[in-house]
Every structure is written in structure tokens, then in C-alpha cells.
Amino acid sequence: MATWVICAGVSQSSELGEYVRSCDEAASVVFERSPVRLRGRMREDLAGACVIVGEGVGGPDPVNLAAAIAADGNASEVFLALDSTSGSMRSRAKRAGISQVITSADFAARPASVHQGQRGTRSGVPGRAAGEEALATVSERREGVPVIVFVSGRGGVGKTTLAALFAASAASWGLDVAVLDLDLAFGNLAALCGVSRPGDLAALAGGIASDEALEQAGARAGEHLHVWGPCRAPEYAECIQPLAADIIARLTHGHDLVIVDTPSSWGDAVAGAAQQADRLVIVSDERPGAIPALSRCGSLAVRLGVARTRIVRLMNACDPRRRDESFVARAAVGLECAREVRVLDGGLDLVELLGAGGMAELVASENPAALGAAHGLAALLKELGHLPDAEGARHALAGGGKPRRLFGLGRGEA
């Protein structure tokens, strides 16, 4: 029978106690509100117990207390329970010898974990969500299926629109495209792709049982286009983030191309997606402040081990009447080996069609943003050796508009 010692405020202590007992009915749970007494008892009657340090206790910061207990060496495992956390906090905790950081999202996922018989720690009590366990066993990718990931250093640059344009263009060329929205709490990529009722990735909070289970969590946006994400209940987002790498790998099993959209704030899920990318598309624009954001984003990608030759600088919403070469040169600093893609401003037509759910119509139009996105995608697929043998793909690679009619000019060509 495992003994668990909980040191937290009153409300969190009760929640943590229920959490432990729901997963191991035989567990012995001890509550100790004093950090000083806790460390003393860990040297005596509670030696060898598992410890959960939470918030709401006077004295040292919870992470410092948990680190001190871990350093004492009297606990078999030490867990830190926080309302919310971040990738940097998890890294700090790991360096301090803390076994795992758990959050309120893990508590929310408890019923699914218990129902499916998941056990997260060596003691039989879930100190980590089921998704965190899955992080250690990422599925093998299917060879020959490109993964294109969109990232940015700030919001509002049109990253999600471009991801949708890339996906819809590839689908129109006959590729079976999987699109993943890693803005798991508030993403709207599914809506841009024309999905009226997105799937729910929160259904995978207990772990991905099979590729078939993953398929059921997505939504069809067209004959060759499927979309995954976000979570219908935003509070489940953190449960799914550790699964991102496995989801991306599994999506290659049944599709010809995987496109991943990400939030502008980078976390572990975005970092993992960037590392899996065959092409990491860093989206920027020409507004003031664009170059510092682009530089920080590119530097982070390189530190994560992404080769510069796998990075693409995509300048979005460009003014077709000018090209500031000095701006382009400054944007390339540190990313000189990266390909540059330039997509023109799509104007009001782009906004209106997207608002009306007309992505398919937009891709088939002469809109400059749609044409630029299709050309950029075709160039990337050509580099990767996966440009489909389709007239639309070949025409997009050539960089032209839609084929002219036999008599007269197309709309907007006069």
C-alpha cells in the first residue's frame, strides 16, 4: 500500500486527496500543512512516502519546497501540483529532481484515466496525465509523407489563413490532407476550412488507443481534407499538448500530407511540432516590429535543432506595388539558407470569402493570396520530392494565374 503525503492549501488538499484515492483506493493519504514539519517527518515516520506539494501553504514557494524535499532524498517520488504551468516551469522542476508537475487539467482528465485503467506513476497513482505517458512513445511516421508546420513570432500575421490555403490547395490537387490545429483551446482553423462542427481532440485525453480512434476525433472538410482540433472544452487543451508529437506521427499513417497550425505563443507542443517539420514555415508580414519577431522565432527554431535548410520565411500580405529589398535583407539575417516565399495581400475578396466559409471557392479563384500560397506550397512539395502529378499543381509551380480562356482575358486581367 503506497503512502502519499499532501502539503497544500485546504481546498487543493481535498482535491488532491480525492485525486489520489480515485486512482488507488488502497493508498494511504496523509495531510501535512507545515513545510517545516513535513521535511522533519520525511526523515522519520514518513520516510519513503510519495509527496505532492501544492499551492496555498505559507512559507516557501511550492516549487522551492518540492525541490528541497527532492534534494533531501527521503521521498520515493515528489510531485508539484499547480493550477497551471508552462514548459519552462516543467523544465525547472525536472532539473530540481521533481518527478512531475501536475495541474488542474490533469484532475479534469481523471475520470477518463481511471475508467480506462491508466496509471501514471510507478506507485500506481497518476502523477502525470495519460497524455504525458504517451509523450515517451511517439509512433513511427510513415515514410514519404511531408509534414509542414506553420509558426510565427506574434499573432495577426495570417498564419492560420495560410495553413488553410495550403491545405485546401493540396486537397484540390488530389492529395489526402490532414490538418492539425495546435491552438487547442481557441483555434479556428476548422472553421476556415469550412467545417461547421469540428471534432474534439479532448476525446483523446485518456491516450490514443489506435489510428482509428484518432480518425474519429477529427472532422471532414472535403473529399480529401480532414481537420483535427481544437478541444471543444478549452480546459482540456493541456491534457492534449503532450500528445501532439504522437498525433502528428499518426496522421502520416493515413494521409499524403500533414499541415500543422500553431498558436503564436510557443510551448512544448509547438516545439515538438517544429522538430518534426520537414518544412517549418515562419510567417511574418511587413508591419513595424516584424523583423525582431521573425528573428526571435527563427533563433528559437534553430536552438530546437531545426536545420536552417528546413526553415521557410513566408512574408504575408505583401504590397504588390513595392518590394523593399533592405527589409528583405534584414529579414534574412540569421536565416540566409532559408527559402523565402512571398504572398500578396488578398484584399477584401479574401476576407469576404473566408467569412462566408468559401475556402474552396477562394482556392479556385484568381485571388493573389490564394495564388501565392499555392505557388509556395508547390515549390515546397517540389523540393521534398512530393509534388503531385496534377495540372493544378504544375500550374501553381509555374507561378501563373488560372489558365486563360481561349477568347478574352479572365476576370481582373484587363
Side-chain angles (χ1 to χ4, degrees), residues 141-177:
R141 282 177 51 177
R142 182 161 69 94
E143 189 174 349
V145 178
V147 174
I148 298 177
V149 179
F150 286 82
V151 296
S152 67
R154 62 177 181 174
V157 295
K159 171 170 47 60
T160 299
T161 298
L162 287 166
L165 284 170
F166 268 50
S169 295
S172 73
W173 302 339
L175 293 178
D176 194 351
V177 184

Side-chain angles (χ1 to χ4, degrees), residues 211-269:
D211 290 346
E212 291 73 19
L214 177 59
E215 289 291 325
Q216 293 172 6
R220 178 183 290 271
E223 182 181 359
H224 298 289
L225 182 59
H226 292 76
V227 185
W228 280 261
C231 298
R232 289 182 189 168
E235 57 268 27
Y236 278 86
E238 191 166 347
C239 298
I240 303 303
Q241 286 183 19
L243 294 171
D246 193 36
I247 290 173
I248 293 171
R250 285 176 178 270
L251 288 177
T252 66
H253 296 174
H255 303 86
D256 303 318
L257 173 66
V258 177
I259 293 178
V260 182
D261 185 33
T262 64
S264 54
S265 57
W266 286 49
D268 293 341

Side-chain angles (χ1 to χ4, degrees), residues 58-387:
D61 187 77
V63 66
N64 293 332
L65 174 58
I69 294 172
D72 289 343
N74 299 313
S76 60
E77 294 186 87
V78 181
F79 296 87
L80 178 62
L82 303 173
D83 287 338
S84 61
T85 188
S86 64
S88 61
M89 174 59 77
R90 292 183 187 276
S91 297
R92 178 185 172 190
K94 184 176 181 180
R95 291 194 300 271
I98 297 170
S99 304
Q100 185 66 38
V101 179
I102 57 178
T103 69
S104 56
D106 298 328
F107 306 153
R110 180 186 63 223
S113 299
V114 175
H115 177 71
Q116 295 177 25
Q118 299 291 332
R119 291 292 184 263
T121 72
R122 292 181 296 276
S123 302
V125 179
R128 68 184 71 189
E132 299 253 352
E133 285 294 317
L135 185 62
T137 55
V138 177
S139 300
E140 291 289 333
R141 282 177 51 177
R142 182 161 69 94
E143 189 174 349
V145 178
V147 174
I148 298 177
V149 179
F150 286 82
V151 296
S152 67
R154 62 177 181 174
V157 295
K159 171 170 47 60
T160 299
T161 298
L162 287 166
L165 284 170
F166 268 50
S169 295
S172 73
W173 302 339
L175 293 178
D176 194 351
V177 184
V179 183
L180 174 62
D181 189 349
L182 283 184
D183 188 350
L184 296 166
F186 305 110
N188 67 334
L189 180 56
L192 291 185
C193 290
V195 176
S196 58
R197 184 175 176 79
D200 186 11
L201 280 178
L204 304 175
I208 306 175
S210 63
D211 290 346
E212 291 73 19
L214 177 59
E215 289 291 325
Q216 293 172 6
R220 178 183 290 271
E223 182 181 359
H224 298 289
L225 182 59
H226 292 76
V227 185
W228 280 261
C231 298
R232 289 182 189 168
E235 57 268 27
Y236 278 86
E238 191 166 347
C239 298
I240 303 303
Q241 286 183 19
L243 294 171
D246 193 36
I247 290 173
I248 293 171
R250 285 176 178 270
L251 288 177
T252 66
H253 296 174
H255 303 86
D256 303 318
L257 173 66
V258 177
I259 293 178
V260 182
D261 185 33
T262 64
S264 54
S265 57
W266 286 49
D268 293 341
V270 177
Q275 291 169 326
Q276 287 208 57
D278 295 297
R279 288 297 180 268
L280 183 69
V281 182
I282 304 178
V283 181
S284 186
D285 54 22
E286 297 177 333
R287 293 179 298 167
I291 291 179
L294 175 64
S295 176
R296 290 193 298 270
C297 198
S299 297
L300 176 56
V302 172
R303 292 198 301 274
L304 288 170
V306 181
R308 288 177 172 84
T309 52
R310 288 161 50 199
I311 297 176
V312 179
R313 294 181 292 108
L314 193 155
M315 305 305 295
N316 190 33
C318 297
D319 187 340
R321 296 167 294 184
R322 72 177 182 89
R323 177 180 171 91
D324 186 343
E325 295 298 336
S326 65
F327 179 90
V328 174
R330 284 181 286 131
V333 173
L335 295 173
E336 290 82 2
C337 297
R339 166 183 279 275
E340 181 198 2
V341 173
R342 192 165 181 259
V343 175
L344 300 182
D345 189 345
L348 291 177
D349 285 348
L350 176 70
V351 176
E352 292 174 356
L353 284 171
L354 288 178
M359 180 57 71
E361 182 181 352
L362 179 62
V363 167
S365 73
E366 295 266 356
N367 184 277
L371 294 176
H375 174 63
L377 171 63
L380 297 187
L381 293 179
K382 174 73 172 179
E383 284 182 359
L384 294 168
H386 294 286
L387 184 70

